[in-house]
Amino acid sequence: TTQRVLARPGIVWQYARRGNLYLDYQTGPFWNDTGTLWVHRFPVGIEYWLVPGVLIGRAGTTVDTRGNAAATAGAGIPLGKRGFVNLAYQYGMFPELRQEFGPAQTVALSLGVGF
């Protein structure tokens, strides 16, 4: 079993009325009985209101400090003015596992809060 704690601060630029570009920094440790691995990643992407006020579509990539890239896609539903429920799909996020298991696929459900 592997545990993790991640922090993901970022910035967003509204390039159009219904669209945003974002750049984040993701860091934190993964640990288990064999040791600890710290990750440093830079997610970059675009989001667009597919149905204004109801549904956001997202696509992007994440690059780590070793130059490994992974594809991402997802959707979000707003909760008031500052919150979202997000569903995301990530392909190839854990290059350190690729040799033994092949490209990793991750599905994540999260709650986002804007400031």
Side-chain angles (χ1 to χ4, degrees):
T1 300
T2 300
Q3 306 295 318
R4 71 178 182 172
V5 174
L6 295 174
R8 187 173 170 168
I11 58 172
V12 176
W13 174 57
Q14 186 175 4
Y15 71 90
R17 185 171 180 210
R18 292 172 56 182
N20 295 314
L21 296 173
Y22 63 87
L23 172 63
D24 295 348
Y25 170 64
Q26 183 182 55
T27 187
F30 288 73
W31 70 91
N32 61 23
D33 295 340
T34 63
T36 301
L37 170 69
W38 274 85
V39 297
H40 302 280
R41 297 184 178 124
F42 299 91
V44 119
I46 188 169
E47 61 184 17
Y48 189 78
W49 284 96
L50 301 170
V51 179
V54 178
L55 180 64
I56 294 177
R58 296 187 178 94
T61 188
T62 298
V63 179
D64 68 17
T65 53
R66 297 178 188 151
N68 299 303
T72 63
I77 299 171
L79 299 174
K81 291 185 177 190
R82 297 195 180 268
F84 287 90
V85 172
N86 300 300
L87 179 63
Y89 173 75
Q90 303 166 328
Y91 181 81
M93 283 297 290
F94 304 102
E96 54 277 355
L97 301 177
R98 208 171 280 151
Q99 188 174 22
E100 292 89 8
F101 301 108
Q105 299 181 55
T106 304
V107 176
L109 180 63
S110 64
L111 175 65
V113 179
F115 296 97

